[in-house]
Amino acid sequence: PRVRATFVEKGEPTAYDATPEVTANFTFMVPKKEISMVPDMGKWKRSQAYADYMGFILTLNEALKGKKLTCEYKVSETVEKLLDLLGTLDRWINETPPVDQPSRFGNKAYRTWYAKLDQEAEALVAAVLPADRQAAAPEIAVYLKESVGNSTRIDYGTGHEAAFAAFLCCLCKVGALRVDDQLAIVFKVFNRYLHVMRKLQRTYRMEPAGSQGVWGLDDFQFLPFIWGSSQFIDHPTLEPRHFIDERVVNEHHQDYMFLECIKFINEMKTGPFAEHSNQLWNISAVPTWSKVNQGLIRMYKAECLEKFPVIQHFKFGSLLSIQPAKP
């Protein structure tokens, strides 16, 4: 497949190559913003962080090819701990019901929920890390806090989703997650994260951050469409044209992330699919899943990772570094 070739040509290292870098005397730092103006975007695209982040996304993309959510895979202790962490965030939503307010969108109870995470994030992350990696907790916790939306604007978008992928990437770099956790990282952890985010979006009526309306892929997410399309590569019967058929979605959504996303859109939006989700409608006309997958990776780079309004919020530390990538 061509993705692999471009993957290697660009010399984008996989995040897993970086794991042994973090030795006992490694100095962690609290990540901060580095991209403050549009001309800084070049610095981001040349950075080690960009290479590691994209390497991580593509490594997982490769690992998921043709695999169902329900297939067999290893679930490590770290993965179990991450599921506990997400379970805690989920429980806090139940404990923080929306308040009565005049505005339909952006329920202020979200701020109460977020304040709890802000306070507890470091301890939650420390509980996931091995004993000899506790020093990484303050650095990695920043990405967790950035991954659940913005408490001022009460919005959520692909930049927040990217922070969660960065959080997982950092856990790989410090060796808490390993190569044989790949399937569980997406099918268990990221999938559970998506469920919690959908619950947040529904409960607090969060606004889409920087949404392109009907011209965007989705109001809130992007990665599950990339990884979800990879799951379908070489599927014997299901083609891209089938995902707009509600019968197919209802029958197969437990196995495929892509269809879970479509199901959520169908539940949240009214009217013809071609009108409320024009980009996805167009994608359903692409002949093969492999082409869909390649196209979505290109689109993700262009629409998310190369957009200043998204990347200006990204934070860089010792694990995801603004320094130029090693050649």
Side-chain angles (χ1 to χ4, degrees):
R2 268 177 44 220
V3 178
R4 201 76 193 125
T6 56
F7 183 56
V8 178
E9 277 160 22
K10 285 207 170 126
E12 292 172 341
T14 70
Y16 305 107
D17 297 346
T19 304
E21 275 176 27
V22 180
T23 50
N25 54 8
F26 192 88
T27 315
F28 295 103
M29 61 180 274
V30 175
K32 60 186 205 300
K33 294 181 184 179
E34 299 276 3
I35 308 299
S36 52
M37 299 177 302
V38 174
D40 295 336
M41 287 297 285
K43 200 163 62 163
W44 151 244
K45 282 187 261 184
R46 288 188 296 272
S47 71
Q48 189 61 47
Y50 182 89
D52 286 347
Y53 180 85
M54 221 36 236
F56 182 69
I57 300 303
L58 294 175
T59 299
L60 292 171
N61 186 62
E62 208 60 33
L64 303 172
K65 276 193 180 164
K67 302 268 198 311
K68 290 182 178 185
L69 287 170
T70 48
C71 76
E72 298 261 316
Y73 49 83
K74 185 192 126 204
V75 177
S76 65
E77 194 185 344
T78 303
V79 167
E80 293 287 8
K81 287 176 179 171
L82 283 165
L83 296 174
D84 289 343
L85 184 160
L86 291 165
T88 301
L89 302 191
D90 196 342
R91 192 179 75 246
W92 290 347
I93 301 174
N94 298 340
E95 292 167 7
T96 319
V99 293
D100 278 337
Q101 59 176 49
S103 161
R104 256 178 71 217
F105 288 96
N107 195 284
K108 289 178 176 51
Y110 172 78
R111 293 185 181 139
T112 310
W113 178 89
Y114 184 88
K116 201 165 212 164
L117 172 62
D118 195 37
Q119 202 183 333
E120 301 289 333
E122 213 168 298
L124 288 171
V125 172
V128 171
L129 291 169
D132 60 345
R133 289 285 180 266
Q134 292 296 308
E139 174 162 349
I140 298 177
V142 169
Y143 296 105
L144 179 64
K145 289 192 285 194
E146 296 279 321
S147 75
V148 297
N150 180 288
S151 67
T152 310
R153 296 186 302 271
I154 313 184
D155 66 7
Y156 175 94
T158 50
H160 302 111
E161 178 190 73
F164 192 74
F167 167 70
L168 296 171
C169 181
C170 288
L171 290 173
C172 289
K173 293 196 101 186
V174 297
L177 290 168
R178 297 169 190 274
V179 179
D180 57 359
D181 289 317
Q182 287 179 351
L183 288 178
I185 287 172
V186 180
F187 290 172
K188 278 267 189 250
V189 183
F190 189 79
N191 209 27
R192 185 69 204 272
Y193 163 76
L194 282 180
H195 282 278
V196 177
M197 292 308 105
R198 286 171 187 147
K199 187 165 168 177
L200 276 180
Q201 291 152 16
R202 264 201 188 110
T203 307
Y204 304 120
R205 300 299 301 270
M206 295 178 78
E207 300 266 19
S211 166
Q212 298 160 305
V214 296
W215 304 112
L217 185 66
D218 177 79
D219 281 343
F220 299 112
Q221 314 298 155
F222 204 116
L223 290 173
F225 292 96
I226 294 179
W227 290 333
S229 61
S230 179
Q231 285 184 273
F232 274 126
I233 290 175
D234 297 331
H235 193 285
T237 55
L238 293 175
E239 295 170 20
R241 65 192 168 93
H242 291 115
F243 75 73
I244 46 180
D245 180 344
E246 264 187 71
R247 280 196 322 262
V248 171
V249 173
N250 293 333
E251 201 176 321
H252 297 282
H253 72 92
Q254 286 96 343
D255 284 326
Y256 296 102
M257 218 170 214
F258 197 102
L259 300 182
E260 288 261 294
C261 293
I262 302 295
K263 184 169 178 281
F264 185 65
I265 291 170
N266 289 339
E267 286 164 10
M268 299 295 277
K269 307 233 172 184
T270 53
F273 192 87
E275 285 172 27
H276 62 62
S277 302
N278 190 261
Q279 278 280 27
L280 282 168
W281 176 264
N282 292 337
I283 286 168
S284 74
V286 175
T288 68
W289 284 109
S290 164
K291 285 249 187 308
V292 169
N293 185 246
Q294 289 166 20
L296 287 174
I297 290 166
R298 278 198 305 275
M299 187 176 166
Y300 185 59
K301 287 178 179 171
E303 298 300 324
C304 300
L305 301 185
E306 292 174 13
K307 286 281 187 277
F308 175 73
V310 176
I311 297 306
Q312 64 175 331
H313 302 292
F314 198 89
K315 293 182 176 176
F316 301 85
S318 69
L319 295 168
L320 288 168
S321 165
I322 191 65
Q323 296 308 315
K326 298 180 198 69

